[in-house]
Amino acid sequence: MSVSGASPAVGLFCAPRSPPRLPRFRMAVRSSAISVAPILTDLKHQCATPLPVLRHVADAMAADMRAGLAVDGGSDLKMILSYVDSLPTGNEKGLFYALDLGGTNFRVLRVQLGGKQERVIATEFDQVSIPQELMFGNSEDLFDFIASGLAKFAQTEGGKFHLPAGRKREIGFTFSFPVRQTSIDSGILIKWTKGFAVSGTAGRDVVACLNEAMERQGLDMRVSALVNDTVGTLAGARYWDDNVMVAVILGTGTNACYVERTDTIAKLQGHVSSSGRTIINTEWGAFSNGLPLTVFDRDMDVASINPGEQIFEKTISGMYLGEIVRRVLLKIAEAGAFGDSIPEKLSTPFVLRTPYLSAMQQDYSDDLKAVGSILYDIAGVESNLSARKIVVEVCDTIVKRGGRLAGAGIVGILQKMEEDSQGLIFGKRTVVAMDGGLYEHYPQYRRYLQDAVTELLGFEISKNVIIEHSKDGSGIGAALLAAANSKYEHDF
Ligand code: ADP
Ligand code: MG
């Protein structure tokens, strides 16, 4: 422990201590070498994820999954039924659309499926970023925006795609917010997450919201499957590989789903699956048990639009990593790390986005030039080499914790599955399909995640567990699920 008097380990739900108010610019009273070091030491200490911490998180994840399967509301994890009981086989045929609303972007896709031999004959997609004001607006405006984007995309359908006469175009709708699914093609929004605060959608069927907006646009298409993005990713990856059992998203937010045996789901009443299996959407972003958290996490949570909620998501996902680092940097700026003044930009929440952390960690130059430019351009911070090194260390500390905890969560899911089907997970090749911008673009994060999985499982078992990037599999996956749940006759 340091003797600096800097914050001790503070859990997320401890009573906040009010920090002394600081003027915007102030003289550094101590040299940075003296005052910054203990802040860093404390941070690393509080963010540490040694094996016992990882093991606790994995065990708690497995226990929370069980509690959530026993009874609705039984745990932080909602363990939502997906109503997806049959996974893609490769035999799917025809033209299908997919629409993905999940965070920063909304995507549309169409695919012509040709069955086992021809597989994906043609595919096209488009992507539109969601205007900030729609994230805080009303439900109608948001769904009108989506339906009009879909209408524009549908107009560009060319000769590579074929729909039999008399059929409507069918859509797999990927909606990656917590939904209480009531059938494969309907579901009630429980609440918005990831910074969305749209009024008028919570408590409503999101498929009905989309259908109404499509009607307003004069667009004659129908939603055949409502799919969480994790479920879409699992379906998309499974189309190519029968060993895929789990899918995890690490993007703006985070979530995971997996293939569950229906006989282990106590809360499953009346719902029968002919395959004896179904996909469970864990909504693991809400997990909170035993996480190593700091005062920076707690302050960010208190200031968030959903305080006390989505704690795992706030610790490991892309929306938040940059903001945690910014809060640490503000604290070390106050200790004089960047000279006498505290740049105003650094006080702006969410200016330091996670892609900048990744860019800084890929700077291998001697003078950390890229780190210096990012700090200056984004946060208004002037830095010398030693300050830049400290910043990279802060990024690494927060990203290491995030990646390792994500890895522990994955092991928790696998552990739960293995307990119910001895040998069927760890005793054979099992694939975890990964997707999301954070996983895709942050090599250090990916490495830390894999390290934690290997540490937890041991060398031998971890050889059977393949963690594989399944890029944009969720779009095709949603289209495949639309095919499997088509209202028209099919022979696949
Ligand atoms: P979404 O989760 O919004 O559906 P993505 O899966 O594309 O979309 O993830 C986008 C998120 O991924 C961003 O919000 C950001 O946090 C993270 N991200 C994107 N690019 C990078 C990058 N270069 N380095 C680190 N993180 C990134
Ligand atoms: Mg997404």
Side-chain angles (χ1 to χ4, degrees):
M1 276 303 286
S2 76
V3 289
S4 66
S7 323
V10 178
L12 212 87
F13 300 106
C14 297
R17 284 190 302 164
S18 47
R21 277 193 73 80
L22 290 156
R24 176 78 64 218
F25 295 100
R26 65 168 199 132
M27 295 304 291
V29 287
R30 291 177 288 181
S31 94
S32 64
I34 296 169
S35 47
V36 173
I39 299 174
L40 260 183
T41 310
D42 273 4
L43 181 77
K44 284 193 193 163
H45 177 73
Q46 292 160 27
C47 291
T49 48
L51 196 52
V53 169
L54 295 180
R55 192 149 276 149
H56 173 86
V57 167
D59 290 348
M61 184 68 75
D64 277 6
M65 288 169 70
R66 246 173 233 296
L69 289 173
V71 50
D72 272 330
S75 120
D76 280 347
L77 303 198
K78 292 205 162 62
M79 305 301 284
I80 295 169
L81 302 178
S82 65
Y83 290 84
V84 172
D85 299 337
S86 51
L87 286 156
T89 58
N91 294 319
E92 294 79 3
K93 276 186 193 153
L95 166 62
F96 296 93
Y97 275 73
L99 195 160
D100 177 339
L101 178 67
T104 37
N105 293 308
F106 117 76
R107 300 181 185 94
V108 279
L109 169 147
R110 65 180 145 247
V111 59
Q112 187 78 37
L113 299 166
K116 207 95 221 168
Q117 295 308 314
E118 294 179 278
R119 294 276 170 155
V120 175
I121 296 171
T123 175
E124 285 174 351
F125 84 102
D126 198 11
Q127 168 166 314
V128 188
S129 80
I130 298 166
Q132 194 76 13
E133 66 270 18
L134 288 182
M135 294 169 62
F136 303 100
N138 67 60
S139 195
E140 267 194 19
D141 288 348
L142 177 66
F143 281 95
D144 278 343
F145 177 79
I146 293 163
S148 92
L150 180 61
K152 276 183 211 136
F153 180 66
Q155 278 163 12
T156 64
E157 188 184 290
K160 286 182 282 182
F161 300 91
H162 308 282
L163 188 77
R167 290 192 178 191
K168 281 191 184 190
R169 285 170 178 73
E170 293 183 287
I171 310 167
F173 180 20
T174 304
F175 185 80
S176 20
F177 300 93
V179 161
R180 175 144 343 272
Q181 200 125 6
T182 41
S183 69
I184 185 65
D185 59 0
S186 65
I188 311 290
L189 176 69
I190 298 169
K191 61 169 182 243
W192 291 104
T193 54
K194 296 181 276 189
F196 275 68
V198 178
S199 62
T201 326
R204 288 209 59 203
D205 176 4
V206 293
V207 173
C209 293
L210 179 60
N211 280 333
E212 288 161 19
M214 289 196 296
E215 242 165 73
R216 288 193 291 271
Q217 295 289 330
L219 185 61
D220 194 21
M221 295 172 92
R222 75 171 297 280
V223 174
S224 314
L226 173 64
V227 181
N228 184 268
D229 57 348
T230 54
V231 176
T233 299
L234 201 156
R238 182 76 172 225
Y239 182 63
W240 302 105
D241 185 342
D242 284 342
N243 293 144
V244 175
M245 297 298 278
V246 180
V248 175
I249 302 286
L250 287 158
T252 306
T254 183
N255 193 10
C257 75
Y258 70 105
V259 180
E260 182 59 285
R261 285 169 31 174
T262 45
D263 61 352
T264 70
I265 310 174
K267 70 178 179 185
L268 192 72
Q269 284 161 348
H271 177 73
V272 191
S273 153
S274 55
S275 66
R277 294 184 165 206
T278 191
I279 300 179
I280 296 286
N281 163 15
T282 64
E283 287 296 333
W284 83 355
F287 177 77
S288 65
N289 198 328
L291 300 174
L293 301 173
T294 68
V295 66
F296 306 105
D297 301 294
R298 192 204 67 214
D299 289 351
M300 178 179 73
D301 177 51
V302 167
S304 72
I305 57 170
N306 53 350
E309 293 175 7
Q310 299 293 108
I311 305 301
F312 196 46
E313 180 161 275
K314 285 171 180 163
T315 318
I316 72 168
S317 84
M319 175 164 173
Y320 304 99
L321 296 178
E323 172 61 5
I324 302 168
V325 168
R326 182 197 68 84
R327 287 171 177 271
V328 178
L329 297 190
L330 188 59
K331 168 102 179 186
I332 66 173
E334 287 166 3
F338 309 120
D340 292 347
S341 62
I342 299 164
E344 195 160 347
K345 272 196 203 169
L346 191 56
S347 308
T348 312
F350 292 95
V351 276
L352 188 64
R353 296 187 302 110
T354 302
Y356 297 123
L357 308 191
S358 178
M360 289 195 280
Q361 286 208 260
Q362 314 318 316
D363 181 0
Y364 297 105
S365 68
D366 289 341
D367 56 351
L368 296 179
K369 191 157 176 267
V371 175
S373 316
I374 289 172
L375 285 175
Y376 186 74
D377 295 344
I378 304 306
V381 167
E382 299 215 38
S383 56
N384 58 24
L385 183 58
S386 74
R388 291 172 194 178
K389 283 184 178 162
I390 290 171
V391 171
V392 173
E393 227 176 312
V394 172
C395 294
D396 194 62
T397 304
I398 299 305
V399 165
K400 184 175 189 176
R401 179 184 66 167
R404 286 174 66 81
L405 290 174
I410 291 171
V411 171
I413 293 179
L414 295 171
Q415 227 169 269
K416 151 74 177 78
M417 296 170 82
E418 173 74 11
E419 280 163 18
D420 291 330
S421 56
Q422 295 288 317
L424 288 182
I425 297 297
F426 293 150
K428 64 173 229 346
R429 182 175 179 272
T430 294
V431 177
V432 179
M434 309 288 298
D435 201 10
L438 176 63
Y439 186 79
E440 183 177 357
H441 299 297
Y442 210 141
Q444 283 85 354
Y445 187 98
R446 248 188 342 253
R447 205 171 314 135
Y448 287 134
L449 185 156
Q450 178 66 62
D451 285 351
V453 171
T454 310
E455 273 174 49
L456 276 165
L457 293 180
F459 185 64
E460 279 308 310
I461 290 178
S462 63
K463 280 195 288 195
N464 281 342
V465 173
I466 316 295
I467 297 181
E468 210 163 67
H469 184 203
S470 153
K471 187 168 165 50
D472 296 330
S474 85
I476 294 265
L480 288 163
L481 293 171
N485 294 283
S486 169
K487 288 298 172 287
Y488 301 105
E489 250 183 63
H490 52 77
D491 56 2
F492 45 81

